[in-house]
Amino acid sequence: MSYKILNGNELIIQGGLEAGFSLYTGYPGSPLADYFNILHSRKNELQEKGIRVALGNTEANAAAMAGGAKQAGRNVMVGMKSMGLHVASDALSVGNFANPGQPYIDPETGETIHSGVVVVVGDDPWSMSTSTAADSRYLFKHLHMPFLEPSTPQELKDWIAHSLELSQRSSLYAGVLVTTFIAEGGGRVQLGDESEVPNTLTEFDPSTFNLSESVMVPPNSFKADVRMIRERFPKVKKVLKELALDEQSGNADSKVGFISSGVVYETLKQIMQEEHYLDDFSLYKVACSYPLVDDLLVPWLQKLDTLVVVEEKRGFLENELISLCQEHGVKVRVYGKEFIDGELVVEGFPADGGISYEILRGKMDTLMGLLGLRPCQHKQPELIQLDDALPMRLPTFCPGCPHRETLSLLKELRKVFKEEEGINLISHGDVGCYSLSFLEPFKEMHDISAMGQGGAFGAGMDLFSQNPSVVLMGDSTFFHSGLSAISNSVQLGHNITYIVLDNDFTAMTGHQMSPSTGQSVEGRKRPEQDMLNLVRGMGVDEAMEVNPSDRYFYQNVLKDMVKKSGTKVI
């Protein structure tokens, strides 16, 4: 038995090694930005074990690779951030409804076991590093994917194996949902033994493939829908019941019950321990908000007349619990996103942002008052009042980043166009480190769209505008989804200038490789994919490569390009 202190991303990888995955894939993004850095640092060890690592050009590429690896009979882990789950959803939906591969029968249980796919998603409730505040629980449900929500570092590591078991026994893709504080936090955990994975290549006979289950086109897709609802998904509850990951504590006979999941459960538990509320109330931790396991939850709910649901973001768990109570005839007053007392409606646990210790204590005080129960007594920590407020420290570009040159030139060019020619230049953008260009001192991005779609956003606006426009795009974004936006502009005859900011890395998420780097995440030498020739092959009107440090030349190129018609790329 050994213990080790690991951060959240390391815990995910360690959990994967103990569970037994043959392929790790995905796309980097905070709070899972370190995922590929860790895999790259351990590349030699992984190669010796026969484990492959593939950094997809997009999350959709990674999700599709997962389906292919499942076809090959291998277990797969896919890692991405919440916005990446949106990108991957099409491939995840097709892959989850399909059921490729050749399962085997467990000789001990007689149960059919499939290759497993586990999708680890990092949500960012406080929007500290994410363009929009997504709640991946809703998308997991839409994709028919059960998901576990670990609340401690030990659970984060151990539940990777549980999620793989859930996938293998149900044949469905399974999710693991983490949030920023646990993904970028961590702790001391007990390690387990690492599992061996197959270390040889397999020769497949395609005549043995079950095409009705692996090719999702009508009428196969309708049959897959029937199997999903009637056969495959019902297995999930059976597996979850046997895993028994839910926890109950506190006063088992209380008529007032608190329920939560994920990291916020630990905050709730801390407050209830400090206030000795566990002597008076019951506390339930849900390991999986979807699907809820009737056999585990309903007996607990039937004892209550008051149910308090504590969760970050919208009331996903609250609505699932209300549906469960209605289905089983359980009558209970629910306090969650709203505290309703007769005609009085008070805002409950907030749906915007996350839930901190201070926020939760404040809402608990309000709730206890409404219920006529004992308010929080624990002494609040004393705060130090500063004479002067500390200045905000805004994010900025890495020291020496070449993007600074482009942005300062754009700022100068904008002034020249306005003062000398009365032209208002518009700058479109999307998701990447260059998104920071809207901040001082540059303020050179006027809108933002999904990753790679700044040019498509620009096309929608520029169809009805006389303003010349430019698009800022990173080299990783170019390969992720920017190519389709450039092609779209060419097809539309769009007058626009794309500025592709090439720094040879996936910079914003920690300097991971990109297709132009010349090296894979496994350390293998690969061709440096040439963006200039790619865009020329797409038929843009003009394409040129410049060194941003050649300031005078670059300034003249920019001024000339922006005023020309057609789709141009620098």
Side-chain angles (χ1 to χ4, degrees):
M1 182 184 299
S2 62
Y3 292 84
K4 194 171 184 179
I5 296 175
L6 300 172
N7 68 37
N9 281 241
E10 290 172 328
L11 289 166
I12 293 167
I13 303 303
Q14 181 62 33
L17 293 172
E18 294 178 13
F21 293 97
S22 292
L23 172 63
Y24 293 81
T25 185
Y27 190 85
S30 180
L32 298 187
D34 233 10
Y35 176 82
F36 281 106
N37 294 340
I38 297 163
L39 291 167
H40 178 66
S41 69
R42 302 180 67 171
K43 58 184 181 295
N44 295 332
E45 169 196 348
L46 299 178
Q47 288 172 14
E48 289 175 2
K49 295 178 178 179
I51 296 172
R52 298 302 306 270
V53 180
L55 197 165
N57 273 17
T58 74
E59 295 86 353
N61 291 158
M65 280 191 279
K70 183 179 180 181
Q71 174 88 301
R74 301 299 183 93
N75 299 325
V76 191
M77 177 189 286
V78 188
M80 63 190 70
K81 70 180 296 173
S82 57
M83 304 304 294
L85 185 62
H86 301 174
V87 176
S89 59
D90 189 5
L92 289 174
S93 179
V94 173
N96 200 29
F97 270 95
N99 194 16
Q102 296 176 321
Y104 67 91
I105 305 298
D106 187 317
E108 295 184 5
T109 64
E111 191 174 11
T112 302
I113 304 297
H114 302 257
S115 300
V117 176
V118 173
V119 182
V120 184
V121 175
D123 270 11
D124 182 17
W126 292 96
S127 297
M128 292 187 289
S129 61
T130 308
S131 56
T132 57
D135 187 342
S136 296
R137 297 176 298 175
Y138 290 91
L139 192 46
F140 273 135
K141 181 177 180 179
H142 172 70
L143 295 170
H144 298 273
M145 290 175 59
F147 57 94
L148 302 182
E149 300 168 83
S151 64
T152 67
Q154 189 71 51
E155 287 179 354
L156 175 54
K157 180 186 74 70
D158 294 345
W159 288 12
I160 298 294
H162 292 320
S163 61
L164 177 59
E165 180 182 349
L166 181 59
S167 177
Q168 289 176 313
R169 294 176 62 188
S170 68
S171 77
L172 298 177
Y173 290 9
V176 176
L177 183 59
V178 299
T179 54
T180 303
F181 290 160
I182 192 169
E184 296 183 348
R188 182 174 180 266
V189 298
Q190 181 180 337
L191 302 182
D193 295 329
E194 296 183 5
S195 298
E196 292 186 7
V197 302
N199 201 6
T200 57
L201 300 179
T202 305
E203 178 73 29
F204 294 98
D205 179 359
S207 66
T208 64
F209 294 168
N210 186 342
L211 302 186
S212 66
E213 292 193 8
S214 60
V215 182
M216 287 298 99
V217 296
N220 294 348
S221 48
F222 173 74
K223 295 176 182 177
D225 188 26
V226 173
R227 287 193 299 271
M228 173 67 76
I229 301 301
R230 300 181 182 274
E231 301 172 17
R232 299 173 67 199
F233 202 84
K235 294 179 182 178
V236 172
K237 288 190 177 183
K238 176 178 181 294
V239 178
L240 287 171
K241 180 182 177 181
E242 293 175 7
L243 288 173
L245 299 176
D246 290 7
E247 289 184 9
Q248 294 184 42
S249 57
N251 186 340
D253 298 320
S254 177
K255 294 294 184 181
V256 179
F258 287 76
I259 189 167
S260 188
S261 63
V263 175
V264 74
Y265 165 83
E266 293 297 319
T267 308
L268 173 63
K269 180 181 176 182
Q270 178 184 343
I271 293 173
M272 295 188 76
Q273 288 173 335
E274 290 173 349
E275 298 296 334
H276 304 290
Y277 283 149
L278 293 177
D279 297 337
D280 303 318
F281 309 132
S282 178
L283 176 62
Y284 194 105
K285 177 166 72 174
V286 176
C288 177
S289 296
Y290 177 77
L292 297 174
V293 183
D294 309 39
D295 293 347
L296 298 178
L297 258 173
V298 171
W300 180 76
L301 291 167
Q302 288 172 333
K303 299 178 182 179
L304 308 177
D305 58 27
T306 301
L307 175 65
V308 181
V309 186
V310 180
E311 60 185 317
E312 293 183 308
K313 311 312 292 182
R314 290 175 288 169
F316 179 90
L317 177 59
E318 181 178 345
N319 289 330
E320 292 295 310
L321 286 165
I322 290 172
S323 295
L324 185 67
C325 289
Q326 291 173 342
E327 181 182 346
H328 291 274
V330 177
K331 295 183 178 180
V332 62
R333 289 181 300 166
V334 178
Y335 294 84
K337 297 303 168 185
E338 291 183 335
F339 297 162
I340 301 177
D341 185 23
E343 295 184 358
L344 178 65
V345 179
V346 179
E347 181 191 32
F349 305 107
D352 55 307
I355 296 180
S356 66
Y357 175 89
E358 293 79 12
I359 290 173
L360 186 51
R361 277 188 64 92
K363 292 298 180 181
M364 290 278 282
D365 269 340
T366 302
L367 178 63
M368 292 303 172
L370 290 174
L371 297 177
L373 301 172
R374 175 172 60 84
C376 294
Q377 302 294 321
H378 186 70
K379 185 179 179 182
Q380 290 275 31
E382 293 184 7
L383 302 178
I384 299 173
Q385 295 293 331
L386 299 176
D387 294 333
D388 297 307
L390 294 174
M392 292 180 63
R393 183 179 184 274
L394 295 174
T396 187
F397 293 96
C398 299
C401 177
H403 300 355
R404 295 172 183 266
E405 299 277 8
T406 294
L407 296 172
S408 64
L409 282 176
L410 265 180
K411 189 178 182 74
E412 289 180 13
L413 186 60
R414 176 180 310 287
K415 184 178 180 181
V416 170
F417 276 163
K418 177 70 173 177
E419 293 179 354
E420 296 182 4
E421 303 183 41
I423 295 174
N424 287 306
L425 180 65
I426 294 177
S427 299
H428 306 296
D430 54 52
V431 178
C433 58
Y434 46 93
S435 303
L436 303 178
S437 58
F438 86 95
L439 295 169
E440 297 283 3
F442 304 115
K443 303 188 76 171
E444 279 303 324
M445 199 170 78
H446 301 128
D447 48 62
I448 191 169
S449 187
M451 192 166 180
Q453 299 309 314
F457 185 105
M461 180 178 180
D462 295 350
L463 288 171
F464 309 100
S465 168
Q466 293 181 337
N467 302 65
S469 65
V470 298
V471 179
L472 299 172
M473 178 187 294
D475 52 330
S476 306
T477 301
F478 174 88
F479 289 106
H480 180 281
S481 43
L483 278 164
S484 66
I486 296 173
S487 174
N488 185 66
S489 292
V490 172
Q491 187 67 10
L492 286 170
H494 185 190
N495 295 323
I496 194 165
T497 303
Y498 284 84
I499 303 175
V500 181
L501 303 163
D502 179 13
N503 55 15
D504 282 340
F505 286 106
T506 308
M508 193 170 197
T509 54
H511 293 187
Q512 293 87 4
M513 297 76 187
S514 78
S516 63
T517 305
Q519 187 186 61
S520 75
V521 70
E522 293 181 312
R524 304 170 192 264
K525 187 172 177 58
R526 304 304 308 140
E528 296 181 14
Q529 297 181 31
D530 190 336
M531 291 182 284
L532 189 61
N533 283 327
L534 280 169
V535 296
R536 283 174 174 163
M538 295 169 70
V540 300
D541 293 282
E542 190 169 352
M544 178 184 292
E545 184 175 87
V546 300
N547 183 338
S549 296
D550 191 349
R551 194 173 181 85
Y552 182 75
F553 176 72
Y554 189 11
Q555 186 177 41
N556 287 327
V557 168
L558 266 177
K559 188 174 183 180
D560 181 54
M561 282 273 205
V562 167
K563 294 170 72 172
K564 287 183 178 179
S565 61
T567 302
K568 299 89 56 184
V569 180
I570 300 175

